[in-house]
Amino acid sequence: MLCLFLGTSLHHASAKDMVKEVTVLTIDPIDSRGQPVPMPKLTKFFEFIERDQGFKILHVRNSWPRALVAAESGEGVLFGVSKTRERERLFHFSAPVHSRFIFLVTRNDATFKFNSVADLKGKTIGIPRGISFGDDFDVLKDNLFTVEPDNNSPISRVYKLLFRRMDAGVFSSLSKNPRELEARLQKMRDAHDGGMPPMNNVKLSVLPKPLLIDTIHFAVRSDKDDGIIDKLNAAILKAKSMGLLAELR
């Protein structure tokens, strides 16, 4: 009887102490040596969500195409995704976590006027593989203009721009000021000077009008939403009121 009582008590204690685990899928940024880049601001945000909502986040990093396929297969909640009409048919989206500005970047000796996607006619545009840049862009790519899919490392698109493999590359920025993106890309070039011939006379130019002002969300396959989006929305609202989301910028 004593053994039965102790066994039952331990069973109840372990069940009570169990914490729900939620898999969150994100991009896996890597440096020039192929090593994972720490994401301390995102880690802090996820830790806040865990404390606020009482569940454990299992952060799974992967290439964006693989993360997207995993989310489409119902293997977790995707973070860092933007809305498209096609995705909204499959996913439930959270409230926006933050906005990002999507700019076109060219060589400074090969700029062009850009006011709408129609101005990309006949051009080759470098994009990270598997990323959507709005419904208009997605419909016209490989028809009005050509895309050059690339990995998610921005320096790869910088190289291709400098060597005229593309007319423009797509880069994201959390600032609406194009000069800040130019400075960031120049700093990146400086850090990789040893890997390419010097081109000190060639600068990168960010076209002033954004291709897109995008919002970033969590998303989960609709039939897998067991209330997780509501919980994430509550945490996002609280994080915003506390100024925590500004730190992600």
Side-chain angles (χ1 to χ4, degrees), residues 117-177:
V117 177
D119 294 324
L120 302 181
K121 183 177 180 179
K123 300 189 181 301
T124 298
I125 309 299
I127 65 171
R129 188 173 287 105
I131 303 293
S132 171
F133 294 104
D135 291 313
D136 291 343
F137 187 94
D138 290 348
V139 166
L140 294 174
K141 69 182 181 182
D142 295 325
N143 293 299
L144 183 72
F145 56 91
T146 301
V147 295
E148 171 79 14
D150 210 344
N151 61 44
N152 285 288
S153 173
I155 193 63
S156 179
R157 268 164 286 141
V158 169
Y159 285 167
K160 290 183 177 181
L161 269 175
L162 294 175
F163 286 106
R164 299 184 184 275
R165 290 274 305 277
M166 58 181 68
D167 297 295
V170 177
F171 294 82
S172 67
S173 175
L174 295 177
S175 170
K176 64 181 179 181
N177 184 348

Coordinates of all heavy atoms in Angstrom, one line a residue, residues 117-177:
V117 N 7.3 48.1 -58.8 CA 7.8 46.9 -59.3 C 8.0 46.9 -60.8 O 8.9 46.3 -61.4 CB 7.0 45.7 -58.8 CG1 7.5 44.4 -59.4 CG2 6.9 45.6 -57.3
A118 N 7.1 47.7 -61.5 CA 7.2 47.8 -63.0 C 8.5 48.3 -63.4 O 9.0 48.0 -64.5 CB 6.1 48.7 -63.5
D119 N 9.2 49.1 -62.6 CA 10.5 49.6 -62.9 C 11.6 48.6 -63.0 O 12.8 48.9 -63.3 CB 10.9 50.8 -62.0 CG 10.0 51.9 -62.1 OD1 9.5 52.2 -63.2 OD2 9.7 52.6 -61.0
L120 N 11.3 47.4 -62.5 CA 12.3 46.3 -62.5 C 12.4 45.5 -63.9 O 13.1 44.5 -64.0 CB 12.1 45.3 -61.4 CG 12.1 45.9 -60.0 CD1 11.8 44.8 -58.9 CD2 13.4 46.7 -59.7
K121 N 11.6 46.0 -64.8 CA 11.5 45.2 -66.1 C 12.8 45.0 -66.7 O 13.6 45.9 -66.9 CB 10.6 46.0 -67.1 CG 10.4 45.3 -68.4 CD 9.5 46.1 -69.3 CE 9.2 45.4 -70.6 NZ 8.3 46.2 -71.5
G122 N 13.1 43.7 -67.1 CA 14.3 43.3 -67.7 C 15.5 43.2 -66.8 O 16.6 42.9 -67.3
K123 N 15.4 43.5 -65.5 CA 16.5 43.5 -64.6 C 16.7 42.1 -63.9 O 15.7 41.3 -63.8 CB 16.4 44.6 -63.6 CG 16.4 46.0 -64.3 CD 16.5 47.1 -63.3 CE 16.4 48.5 -64.0 NZ 17.5 48.6 -65.0
T124 N 17.8 41.9 -63.4 CA 18.1 40.7 -62.6 C 18.2 41.2 -61.1 O 19.1 42.0 -60.8 CB 19.4 40.0 -63.0 OG1 19.3 39.5 -64.3 CG2 19.7 38.8 -62.1
I125 N 17.4 40.6 -60.2 CA 17.3 41.0 -58.9 C 17.7 39.9 -58.0 O 17.2 38.8 -58.0 CB 15.9 41.5 -58.5 CG1 15.4 42.5 -59.5 CG2 15.8 42.0 -57.1 CD1 16.2 43.8 -59.6
G126 N 18.7 40.1 -57.1 CA 19.1 39.0 -56.2 C 18.3 39.0 -54.9 O 18.1 40.1 -54.3
I127 N 17.8 37.8 -54.5 CA 17.0 37.7 -53.4 C 17.5 36.5 -52.5 O 18.0 35.5 -53.1 CB 15.5 37.5 -53.7 CG1 15.3 36.2 -54.5 CG2 15.0 38.7 -54.5 CD1 13.8 35.8 -54.7
P128 N 17.2 36.5 -51.2 CA 17.5 35.2 -50.5 C 16.5 34.2 -50.9 O 15.3 34.4 -51.0 CB 17.3 35.7 -49.0 CG 17.3 37.2 -49.0 CD 16.8 37.6 -50.4
R129 N 17.0 33.0 -51.0 CA 16.2 31.8 -51.5 C 15.0 31.6 -50.5 O 15.2 31.5 -49.3 CB 17.1 30.6 -51.6 CG 16.4 29.4 -52.3 CD 17.4 28.3 -52.5 NE 18.3 28.6 -53.6 CZ 19.5 28.9 -53.5 NH1 20.1 29.0 -52.3 NH2 20.3 29.2 -54.5
G130 N 13.8 31.4 -51.0 CA 12.7 31.1 -50.2 C 11.9 32.2 -49.6 O 10.9 32.0 -48.9
I131 N 12.4 33.5 -49.8 CA 11.8 34.6 -49.1 C 10.8 35.3 -50.1 O 11.1 35.4 -51.3 CB 12.9 35.7 -48.7 CG1 13.9 35.0 -47.8 CG2 12.3 36.9 -48.0 CD1 13.4 34.6 -46.5
S132 N 9.7 35.7 -49.5 CA 8.6 36.4 -50.3 C 8.8 37.9 -50.0 O 9.1 38.3 -48.9 CB 7.2 35.9 -49.9 OG 6.3 36.8 -50.5
F133 N 8.6 38.7 -51.1 CA 8.7 40.1 -51.0 C 7.4 40.8 -51.5 O 7.4 41.8 -52.2 CB 9.9 40.7 -51.7 CG 11.2 40.2 -51.1 CD1 12.0 39.2 -51.7 CD2 11.6 40.8 -49.9 CE1 13.1 38.8 -51.1 CE2 12.8 40.4 -49.3 CZ 13.6 39.4 -49.9
G134 N 6.3 40.2 -51.1 CA 5.0 40.7 -51.4 C 4.4 40.1 -52.6 O 5.1 39.5 -53.5
D135 N 3.1 40.1 -52.7 CA 2.3 39.4 -53.8 C 2.7 39.9 -55.1 O 2.8 39.2 -56.1 CB 0.8 39.5 -53.5 CG 0.4 38.7 -52.3 OD1 0.8 37.5 -52.2 OD2 -0.4 39.2 -51.5
D136 N 2.8 41.3 -55.3 CA 3.1 41.9 -56.6 C 4.5 41.4 -57.1 O 4.6 41.0 -58.3 CB 3.1 43.4 -56.5 CG 1.7 43.9 -56.3 OD1 0.7 43.2 -56.5 OD2 1.6 45.1 -55.9
F137 N 5.5 41.4 -56.2 CA 6.8 41.0 -56.6 C 6.8 39.5 -56.9 O 7.4 39.1 -58.0 CB 7.8 41.2 -55.4 CG 9.2 40.9 -55.7 CD1 10.1 41.9 -56.1 CD2 9.7 39.6 -55.5 CE1 11.4 41.7 -56.3 CE2 11.1 39.4 -55.8 CZ 11.9 40.4 -56.2
D138 N 6.1 38.7 -56.2 CA 6.1 37.2 -56.4 C 5.4 36.9 -57.7 O 5.8 36.0 -58.4 CB 5.4 36.5 -55.3 CG 6.2 36.5 -54.0 OD1 7.4 36.9 -54.0 OD2 5.6 36.2 -52.9
V139 N 4.4 37.6 -58.1 CA 3.7 37.3 -59.4 C 4.5 37.7 -60.6 O 4.5 37.0 -61.6 CB 2.3 38.1 -59.4 CG1 1.7 38.2 -60.8 CG2 1.3 37.5 -58.4
L140 N 5.3 38.8 -60.5 CA 6.0 39.3 -61.6 C 7.5 38.7 -61.8 O 8.1 38.8 -62.8 CB 6.1 40.8 -61.5 CG 4.8 41.5 -61.7 CD1 4.9 43.0 -61.5 CD2 4.2 41.3 -63.1
K141 N 8.0 38.1 -60.7 CA 9.3 37.6 -60.8 C 9.4 36.5 -61.8 O 8.5 35.7 -62.0 CB 9.9 37.1 -59.4 CG 9.2 35.9 -58.9 CD 9.8 35.5 -57.5 CE 9.1 34.2 -57.0 NZ 9.6 33.9 -55.6
D142 N 10.5 36.4 -62.6 CA 10.7 35.5 -63.6 C 9.7 35.7 -64.8 O 9.7 34.8 -65.7 CB 10.6 34.0 -63.1 CG 11.7 33.7 -62.1 OD1 12.9 34.3 -62.3 OD2 11.5 33.0 -61.2
N143 N 9.0 36.8 -64.8 CA 8.2 37.2 -65.9 C 8.6 38.6 -66.4 O 9.2 38.7 -67.5 CB 6.7 37.2 -65.6 CG 6.2 35.7 -65.3 OD1 6.2 34.9 -66.2 ND2 5.7 35.5 -64.1
L144 N 8.3 39.6 -65.5 CA 8.8 40.9 -65.9 C 10.3 41.1 -65.7 O 10.9 41.8 -66.4 CB 8.0 41.9 -65.0 CG 8.3 43.4 -65.3 CD1 7.6 43.8 -66.6 CD2 7.7 44.3 -64.1
F145 N 10.8 40.4 -64.6 CA 12.2 40.5 -64.3 C 12.7 39.1 -63.9 O 11.9 38.2 -63.7 CB 12.5 41.6 -63.2 CG 11.7 41.3 -62.0 CD1 12.2 40.6 -60.9 CD2 10.4 41.9 -61.8 CE1 11.4 40.4 -59.8 CE2 9.7 41.7 -60.7 CZ 10.2 40.9 -59.6
T146 N 14.0 39.0 -63.7 CA 14.6 37.7 -63.4 C 15.1 37.8 -61.9 O 15.6 38.9 -61.5 CB 15.8 37.4 -64.3 OG1 15.3 37.3 -65.6 CG2 16.4 36.1 -63.9
V147 N 14.9 36.7 -61.2 CA 15.5 36.7 -59.8 C 16.7 35.8 -59.8 O 16.8 34.8 -60.5 CB 14.5 36.2 -58.8 CG1 13.3 37.2 -58.6 CG2 13.9 34.9 -59.1
E148 N 17.7 36.2 -59.0 CA 18.9 35.4 -58.7 C 18.8 34.9 -57.3 O 19.1 35.6 -56.4 CB 20.1 36.3 -58.9 CG 21.4 35.7 -58.5 CD 22.0 34.7 -59.5 OE1 21.5 34.6 -60.7 OE2 22.9 33.9 -59.1
P149 N 18.3 33.7 -57.1 CA 18.1 33.2 -55.7 C 19.5 33.0 -55.1 O 20.5 32.6 -55.8 CB 17.4 31.9 -55.9 CG 16.8 31.9 -57.2 CD 17.7 32.7 -58.0
D150 N 19.6 33.2 -53.8 CA 20.9 33.2 -53.1 C 20.7 32.6 -51.7 O 19.6 32.5 -51.3 CB 21.6 34.5 -53.1 CG 23.1 34.5 -53.1 OD1 23.6 33.4 -52.8 OD2 23.7 35.5 -53.3
N151 N 21.8 32.3 -51.0 CA 21.6 31.9 -49.6 C 21.3 33.2 -48.8 O 21.2 34.3 -49.3 CB 22.9 31.2 -49.1 CG 24.1 32.1 -49.1 OD1 24.1 33.3 -48.8 ND2 25.2 31.6 -49.6
N152 N 21.1 33.0 -47.5 CA 20.6 34.1 -46.7 C 21.7 35.0 -46.2 O 21.5 36.0 -45.5 CB 19.8 33.5 -45.5 CG 18.5 33.1 -45.9 OD1 17.6 33.9 -46.1 ND2 18.3 31.8 -45.9
S153 N 23.0 34.7 -46.6 CA 24.1 35.6 -46.2 C 24.1 36.8 -47.0 O 24.3 36.7 -48.2 CB 25.4 34.8 -46.3 OG 26.5 35.7 -46.0
P154 N 24.0 38.0 -46.5 CA 24.0 39.2 -47.3 C 25.2 39.5 -48.1 O 25.2 40.0 -49.1 CB 23.7 40.4 -46.3 CG 23.1 39.7 -45.1 CD 23.7 38.3 -45.0
I155 N 26.4 39.0 -47.5 CA 27.7 39.3 -48.2 C 27.7 38.6 -49.6 O 28.4 39.1 -50.5 CB 28.8 38.8 -47.3 CG1 30.2 39.4 -47.9 CG2 28.9 37.3 -47.2 CD1 30.2 40.9 -47.9
S156 N 27.0 37.5 -49.7 CA 27.0 36.8 -51.0 C 26.3 37.7 -52.1 O 26.8 37.9 -53.2 CB 26.2 35.5 -50.9 OG 26.1 34.9 -52.2
R157 N 25.2 38.4 -51.7 CA 24.6 39.4 -52.7 C 25.5 40.6 -52.9 O 25.5 41.1 -54.0 CB 23.2 39.8 -52.1 CG 22.1 38.9 -52.7 CD 20.8 39.0 -51.8 NE 21.0 38.4 -50.6 CZ 20.5 38.8 -49.4 NH1 19.9 40.0 -49.4 NH2 20.7 38.2 -48.3
V158 N 26.2 41.0 -51.9 CA 27.2 42.1 -52.1 C 28.2 41.7 -53.1 O 28.5 42.5 -54.0 CB 27.8 42.5 -50.7 CG1 29.0 43.4 -51.0 CG2 26.8 43.1 -49.8
Y159 N 28.8 40.5 -53.0 CA 29.8 40.1 -54.0 C 29.2 40.1 -55.4 O 29.8 40.6 -56.4 CB 30.2 38.7 -53.7 CG 31.2 38.5 -52.5 CD1 31.4 37.2 -52.0 CD2 31.8 39.6 -51.9 CE1 32.3 37.1 -50.9 CE2 32.7 39.4 -50.9 CZ 32.9 38.2 -50.3 OH 33.7 38.0 -49.3
K160 N 28.0 39.6 -55.6 CA 27.4 39.5 -56.9 C 27.1 40.8 -57.5 O 27.2 41.0 -58.7 CB 26.1 38.6 -56.8 CG 26.4 37.1 -56.6 CD 25.2 36.3 -56.6 CE 25.5 34.8 -56.4 NZ 24.3 34.0 -56.5
L161 N 26.7 41.8 -56.6 CA 26.5 43.1 -57.1 C 27.8 43.7 -57.6 O 27.8 44.3 -58.7 CB 25.9 44.0 -55.9 CG 24.4 44.1 -55.8 CD1 24.1 44.9 -54.5 CD2 23.8 44.7 -57.0
L162 N 28.8 43.6 -56.8 CA 30.1 44.2 -57.2 C 30.6 43.6 -58.5 O 31.3 44.3 -59.3 CB 31.1 44.0 -56.0 CG 30.8 44.8 -54.7 CD1 31.8 44.4 -53.6 CD2 30.8 46.3 -55.0
F163 N 30.4 42.4 -58.7 CA 30.9 41.7 -59.9 C 29.8 41.7 -61.1 O 29.9 41.0 -62.0 CB 31.3 40.3 -59.6 CG 32.6 40.2 -58.9 CD1 32.7 39.9 -57.5 CD2 33.8 40.5 -59.5 CE1 33.9 39.9 -56.9 CE2 35.0 40.5 -58.9 CZ 35.1 40.2 -57.5
R164 N 28.8 42.5 -60.9 CA 27.7 42.7 -61.9 C 27.0 41.4 -62.3 O 26.5 41.2 -63.4 CB 28.3 43.3 -63.2 CG 29.0 44.7 -63.0 CD 29.5 45.3 -64.3 NE 30.2 46.5 -64.1 CZ 29.6 47.7 -64.0 NH1 28.3 47.8 -64.1 NH2 30.4 48.8 -63.8
R165 N 26.8 40.5 -61.3 CA 26.0 39.3 -61.5 C 24.5 39.7 -61.4 O 23.7 38.8 -61.8 CB 26.4 38.3 -60.5 CG 27.7 37.7 -60.6 CD 27.7 36.5 -61.6 NE 26.7 35.5 -61.3 CZ 26.9 34.5 -60.4 NH1 28.1 34.4 -59.8 NH2 26.0 33.6 -60.1
M166 N 24.2 40.8 -60.9 CA 22.8 41.2 -60.8 C 22.7 42.8 -60.9 O 23.7 43.5 -60.7 CB 22.2 40.8 -59.4 CG 23.0 41.3 -58.2 SD 22.3 40.7 -56.6 CE 22.7 38.9 -56.7
D167 N 21.6 43.3 -61.2 CA 21.4 44.7 -61.3 C 21.1 45.3 -59.9 O 21.4 46.5 -59.7 CB 20.2 45.0 -62.2 CG 20.5 44.6 -63.7 OD1 21.4 45.1 -64.3 OD2 19.8 43.7 -64.1
A168 N 20.5 44.6 -59.1 CA 20.1 45.0 -57.7 C 20.0 43.8 -56.8 O 19.6 42.8 -57.3 CB 18.9 45.9 -57.7
G169 N 20.3 44.0 -55.5 CA 20.0 43.0 -54.5 C 19.0 43.5 -53.5 O 18.9 44.7 -53.3
V170 N 18.2 42.6 -53.0 CA 17.2 42.9 -52.0 C 17.8 42.7 -50.6 O 18.3 41.7 -50.3 CB 15.9 42.1 -52.2 CG1 14.9 42.4 -51.1 CG2 15.3 42.3 -53.6
F171 N 17.7 43.8 -49.8 CA 18.2 43.7 -48.4 C 17.2 44.3 -47.5 O 16.5 45.3 -47.8 CB 19.5 44.5 -48.3 CG 20.7 44.0 -49.1 CD1 20.8 44.2 -50.4 CD2 21.6 43.2 -48.5 CE1 21.9 43.7 -51.2 CE2 22.7 42.6 -49.2 CZ 22.8 42.9 -50.6
S172 N 17.1 43.8 -46.3 CA 16.1 44.3 -45.3 C 16.8 45.1 -44.2 O 18.0 44.9 -43.9 CB 15.4 43.1 -44.6 OG 16.2 42.4 -43.8
S173 N 16.1 46.1 -43.7 CA 16.6 47.0 -42.7 C 15.5 47.3 -41.7 O 14.3 47.4 -42.1 CB 17.1 48.3 -43.3 OG 17.5 49.2 -42.3
L174 N 15.8 47.4 -40.4 CA 14.8 47.8 -39.4 C 14.7 49.3 -39.4 O 13.9 49.8 -38.6 CB 15.2 47.2 -38.1 CG 15.1 45.7 -38.0 CD1 15.6 45.2 -36.6 CD2 13.7 45.2 -38.3
S175 N 15.5 50.0 -40.1 CA 15.5 51.5 -40.2 C 15.0 51.9 -41.5 O 15.3 51.3 -42.6 CB 16.9 52.1 -39.9 OG 16.9 53.5 -40.2
K176 N 14.2 53.0 -41.5 CA 13.7 53.5 -42.8 C 14.7 54.4 -43.5 O 14.4 54.8 -44.6 CB 12.3 54.2 -42.6 CG 12.5 55.5 -41.7 CD 11.1 56.2 -41.6 CE 11.2 57.4 -40.7 NZ 9.9 58.0 -40.5
N177 N 15.8 54.6 -42.9 CA 16.8 55.5 -43.4 C 17.7 54.7 -44.3 O 18.5 53.8 -43.8 CB 17.6 56.2 -42.3 CG 18.6 57.2 -42.8 OD1 18.9 57.2 -44.0 ND2 19.2 58.0 -41.9

